[in-house]
Amino acid sequence: MSYVNNIKMFVRVYELGSMSAAARDQRTSPAVASARISELEKHLGVRLFNRTTRSLQPTENGRIFYEGARKVLEAIDEAEAAVVDVTQNPRGSIFVAAPLGIGRRFIAPHVPAFKDMYPQIDVRLRLSDRNVDVTAEGLDVAFHLGLLEDSTLKVRLVADCPRVLCAAPAYIARRGMPVDGAALVAGHHDCLNLRFPGAREFQWTLQTPEGPRRFEITGPFESDDGDVLTGWALDGRGIVMKPIFEVAEHLREGRLVPVATATPPTATQLSCLSQHRRFRDPKIRLFVDFIVARIKADMAARMQGLVLEPNG
């Protein structure tokens, strides 16, 4: 298997563009990663990467070899999946990505129970609110909160997620209650934004009598962590747009209050993404079915009995 491991390391170095990043991905040291690449280059008799102190770029031979190497690894994955007895002996690692809030609330709490059911399956969970590239980052499963554009990935809709604009009573007492999106803009309300490198939504899309409309809002605070925004809103620092399930408890107990209800936000969606070939892997299907069922149950429990009243 050493040659296969060398190929796996080469593919991850190629995709991540970094020896150290690939080493972390494969749970080893940069020295081991470098040694595996050197061993592979010696076996092939060609240089696969041009290395400098500041960059690592694939050679033409490296680009050619990558296409074949990736197909070899895909074939191995499919062959291993084909001989696994899914009812008794699923095994291997699953690499999963999810937004921070979704991962903390709905996925991470259930991973130990999944591991108890399938002790030979390891789950590698990565949480981030940035957009991830499922293929380039070698992920088996990625949960995505947001409306998807056309995708070559296998997409499974987990839930439709209505959203709400809300703020703490202290903020409303200080700044007033905006009734709609126009009042948000005209009143120069402090709007709390989720922003990260590559983020596309720098405006809020709200439902108006004329249809969805984008409002250019402003505010002094922004973060790439949605839970940080919720914390600022609870502290009376501004208005936040959140999926209702994320703030249901705060709304129910009055720590946050819906605002601008005449023009509520457009709904979003929680989806599960996977490469088609990987979703055929029995352990991937087992994990997705297990987690999706628990996400739906947890979301329903959070939303139970919550009624949002329109404001003036």
Side-chain angles (χ1 to χ4, degrees), residues 132-135 142 150-156 273-276:
V132 299
D133 187 323
V134 173
T135 302
D150 291 340
S151 175
T152 59
L153 300 170
K154 177 156 182 82
V155 179
R156 176 171 174 176
L273 313 179
S274 180
Q275 298 177 61
H276 285 267

Side-chain angles (χ1 to χ4, degrees), residues 14-309:
Y14 186 100
E15 292 174 341
L16 297 175
S18 164
M19 200 76 70
S20 58
R24 288 193 299 271
D25 180 81
Q26 295 295 298
R27 301 173 66 133
T28 188
S29 68
V32 170
S34 180
R36 288 182 178 176
I37 298 301
S38 296
E39 186 175 334
L40 187 59
E41 289 176 329
K42 182 178 180 181
H43 173 83
L44 296 171
V46 297
R47 181 172 291 278
L48 298 173
F49 295 103
N50 289 320
R51 305 172 179 84
T52 69
T53 56
R54 293 187 177 183
S55 68
L56 183 147
Q57 296 293 330
T59 63
E60 181 61 26
N61 286 322
R63 285 188 284 271
I64 294 171
F65 186 69
Y66 170 74
E67 294 303 322
R70 186 167 53 83
K71 292 176 182 177
V72 167
L73 296 181
E74 290 176 1
I76 292 174
D77 287 343
E78 291 183 3
E80 289 180 345
V83 299
V84 168
D85 181 351
V86 290
T87 61
Q88 296 185 21
N89 198 32
R91 66 179 64 199
S93 295
I94 303 175
F95 291 87
V96 183
L100 287 164
I102 296 293
R104 289 168 178 162
R105 293 176 180 84
F106 301 112
I107 298 177
H110 299 298
V111 168
F114 179 80
K115 179 67 175 177
D116 289 342
M117 291 179 64
Y118 304 103
Q120 295 189 71
I121 300 179
D122 296 333
V123 178
R124 316 296 185 197
L125 180 60
R126 304 168 182 170
L127 303 183
S128 173
D129 280 332
R130 67 178 177 83
N131 289 325
V132 299
D133 187 323
V134 173
T135 302
E137 297 182 37
L139 297 168
D140 297 304
V141 177
F143 290 88
H144 176 82
L145 185 62
L147 300 179
L148 286 168
E149 300 176 355
D150 291 340
S151 175
T152 59
L153 300 170
K154 177 156 182 82
V155 179
R156 176 171 174 176
L157 178 63
V158 178
D160 289 310
C161 305
R163 295 188 287 185
V164 63
L165 296 176
C166 53
Y171 177 85
I172 296 170
R174 187 174 74 254
R175 296 292 307 276
M177 170 67 79
V179 297
D180 57 19
L184 283 177
V185 176
H188 301 287
H189 278 272
D190 294 337
C191 298
L192 308 172
N193 279 307
L194 179 69
R195 295 191 183 184
F196 45 87
R200 297 181 181 178
E201 188 170 350
F202 297 100
Q203 301 168 315
W204 283 352
T205 303
L206 308 180
Q207 302 175 51
T208 73
E210 294 75 34
R213 176 184 162 193
R214 296 176 72 85
F215 289 83
E216 295 185 6
I217 45 80
T218 59
F221 299 102
E222 62 182 51
S223 175
D224 60 357
D225 184 330
D227 284 347
V228 169
L229 301 184
T230 302
W232 285 336
L234 289 167
D235 196 39
R237 298 295 180 172
I239 297 171
V240 68
M241 179 194 293
K242 302 293 289 186
I244 296 176
F245 67 79
E246 285 196 15
V247 292
E249 182 180 352
H250 301 309
L251 293 168
R252 188 179 291 110
E253 297 183 4
R255 292 189 293 269
L256 293 175
V257 177
V259 304
T261 55
T263 54
T266 55
T268 189
Q269 293 179 330
L270 178 63
S271 303
C272 179
L273 313 179
S274 180
Q275 298 177 61
H276 285 267
R277 64 176 180 83
R278 296 199 179 184
F279 197 76
R280 293 196 295 268
D281 187 329
K283 69 177 180 290
I284 306 300
R285 295 199 306 270
L286 283 171
F287 177 80
V288 170
D289 288 346
F290 180 92
I291 292 296
V292 166
R294 280 148 185 81
I295 289 176
K296 290 182 175 181
D298 288 351
M299 283 188 175
R302 283 173 173 263
M303 300 284 285
Q304 188 172 9
L306 180 64
V307 179
L308 301 183
E309 299 289 344

